[in-house]
């Protein structure tokens, strides 16, 4: 099939980017050109200040079945050596750490490299049809797109080892129970629910949201000690205080947000 439309990108006027893997005949398995398109699309989102939240999904009832093994003998993997700047991985963007929220909307299979793409997201909104798994175990293909790094961070080492070693399928309900899925919705509703959550995130002061998000990732992956993580949280969070917190506190003092009723007013005034 032609690779001209294998990644579809839409950008809303309110700041939500939707990236769709569009190879439905192969359950959205990613070949090298598609990996490059995904990488470029996510990097473009991350530097576009008009766009605040990104959603990653797949076309026609599947998220992504991993790397397209049919093409391995025909073209090399697109991966580049690790360097100072974020480099492309076999699945494309899986080495990136974005500065803004990414939500995966998962219908159907998110397996092998598709699981690793889903793990790149901050949240995974799944339909009841979702299936996760290290299916590449069956073919002797290792996880080289962050699966062994991110999966244990999300579900814990023991549960990650269960999935990694056995290669078994994990359905949506089990995924919700172990923390791999954040929400489970009826078939066909994953993208709609992800969009609703994205719109909710837009209500909040964005500098504060991003600072807290980055601090959580720093503590999980970068901090050498508890003290280091706590210090980073304070130093980076303090930078937001003058930019947003003072104004936000004044807004609260004037009556906004009382009794849990925010109504989108706080973010709108900041």
């Amino acid at each position: 099939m032609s690779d001209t439309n294998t990644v579809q990108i839409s950008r809303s006027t309110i700041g939500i980017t939707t990236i769709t893997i569009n190879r439905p005949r192969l359950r959205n398995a990613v070949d090298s050109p598609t990996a490059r398109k995904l990488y470029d699309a996510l990097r473009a989102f991350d530097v576009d200040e008009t766009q605040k939240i990104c959603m990653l999904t797949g076309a026609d009832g599947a998220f992504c079945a991993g790397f397209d093994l049919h093409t391995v003998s025909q073209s090399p993997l697109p991966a580049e050596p690790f360097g100072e700047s974020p480099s492309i991985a076999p699945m494309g963007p899986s080495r990136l750490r974005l500065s803004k929220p990414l939500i995966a909307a998962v219908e159907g299979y998110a397996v092998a490299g598709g699981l690793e793409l889903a793990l790149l997201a901050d949240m995974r909104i799944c339909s009841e049809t979702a299936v996760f798994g290290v299916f590449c175990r069956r073919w002797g293909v290792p996880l080289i797109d962050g699966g062994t790094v991110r999966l244990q961070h999300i579900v814990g080492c023991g549960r990650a080892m269960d999935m990694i070693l056995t290669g078994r399928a994990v359905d949506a309900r089990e995924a919700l129970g172990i923390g791999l899925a954040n929400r489970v919705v009826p078939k066909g509703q994953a993208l709609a629910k992800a969009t609703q959550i994205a719109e909710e995130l837009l209500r909040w002061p964005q500098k504060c949201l991003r600072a807290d998000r980055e601090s959580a990732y720093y503590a999980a992956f970068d901090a050498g000690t508890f003290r280091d993580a706590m210090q980073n949280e304070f130093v980076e969070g303090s930078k937001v205080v003058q930019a947003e917190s003072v104004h936000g506190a004044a807004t609260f003092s004037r009556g906004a947000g009382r009794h849990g009723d925010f109504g989108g007013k706080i973010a709108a005034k900041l």
Side-chain angles (χ1 to χ4, degrees), residues 10 20 27 61 70 84 101 110 114 125 155 174-175 180 188 197 200 253 258 266:
S10 67
T20 304
R27 289 178 174 166
H70 297 291
E84 291 299 321
I125 310 305
V155 304
E174 182 180 0
L180 181 54
I197 293 171
E200 290 172 358
S253 295
R258 300 294 171 84
I266 293 180

Side-chain angles (χ1 to χ4, degrees), residues 13-237:
T13 57
I14 63 173
I16 298 175
T17 293
T18 303
I19 299 173
T20 304
I21 308 170
N22 184 41
R23 302 185 84 216
R25 183 170 58 86
L26 298 171
R27 289 178 174 166
N28 300 318
V30 168
D31 61 0
S32 294
T34 305
R36 170 62 68 175
K37 289 175 181 290
L38 285 171
Y39 175 81
D40 290 343
L42 278 166
R43 292 207 70 183
F45 158 74
D46 210 36
V47 299
D48 185 350
E49 277 305 312
T50 71
Q51 298 299 294
K52 313 299 184 184
I53 315 291
C54 185
M55 297 186 299
L56 178 63
T57 193
D60 291 359
F63 182 74
C64 175
F67 196 83
D68 183 358
L69 297 180
H70 297 291
T71 69
V72 171
S73 62
Q74 303 168 17
S75 61
L77 295 177
E80 299 170 350
F82 280 88
E84 291 299 321
S85 61
S87 55
I88 188 171
M91 290 294 295
S94 56
R95 292 176 186 168
L96 300 178
R97 190 160 100 193
L98 302 179
S99 64
K100 295 178 282 189
L102 173 65
I103 302 172
V106 181
E107 301 272 354
Y109 285 98
V111 297
L115 168 64
E116 293 177 293
L117 285 180
L119 296 174
L120 176 63
D122 302 298
M123 301 175 67
R124 282 150 296 281
I125 310 305
C126 307
S127 89
E128 58 194 5
T129 68
V131 177
F132 298 93
V134 186
F135 283 16
C136 48
R137 177 63 57 246
R138 306 170 183 184
W139 319 116
V141 178
L143 295 168
I144 54 175
D145 279 87
T148 64
V149 177
R150 289 193 175 98
L151 184 60
Q152 62 175 311
H153 167 65
I154 293 168
V155 304
C157 188
R159 288 180 172 127
M161 284 300 180
D162 181 355
M163 292 182 65
I164 290 168
L165 297 180
T166 68
R168 68 182 180 86
V170 172
D171 65 20
R173 289 296 167 187
E174 182 180 0
L176 182 65
I178 66 176
L180 181 54
N182 297 90
R183 309 277 198 285
V184 173
V185 296
K187 178 180 179 180
Q189 295 300 308
L191 185 58
K193 184 63 175 179
T195 302
Q196 177 188 341
I197 293 171
E199 291 172 350
E200 290 172 358
L201 296 186
L202 289 176
R203 297 168 59 194
W204 310 128
Q206 294 296 298
K207 290 185 177 65
C208 180
L209 182 145
R210 293 182 197 175
D212 285 347
R213 175 185 177 277
E214 180 56 30
S215 178
Y217 277 120
Y218 183 88
F221 294 113
D222 300 330
T225 64
F226 174 76
R227 178 184 176 85
D228 179 19
M230 293 291 284
Q231 181 179 29
N232 177 76
E233 179 190 66
F234 179 79
V235 171
E236 296 303 317

Side-chain angles (χ1 to χ4, degrees), residues 238-253:
S238 295
K239 296 176 182 178
V240 177
V241 171
Q242 289 301 318
E244 285 183 342
S245 306
V246 171
H247 194 172
T251 303
F252 175 80
S253 295

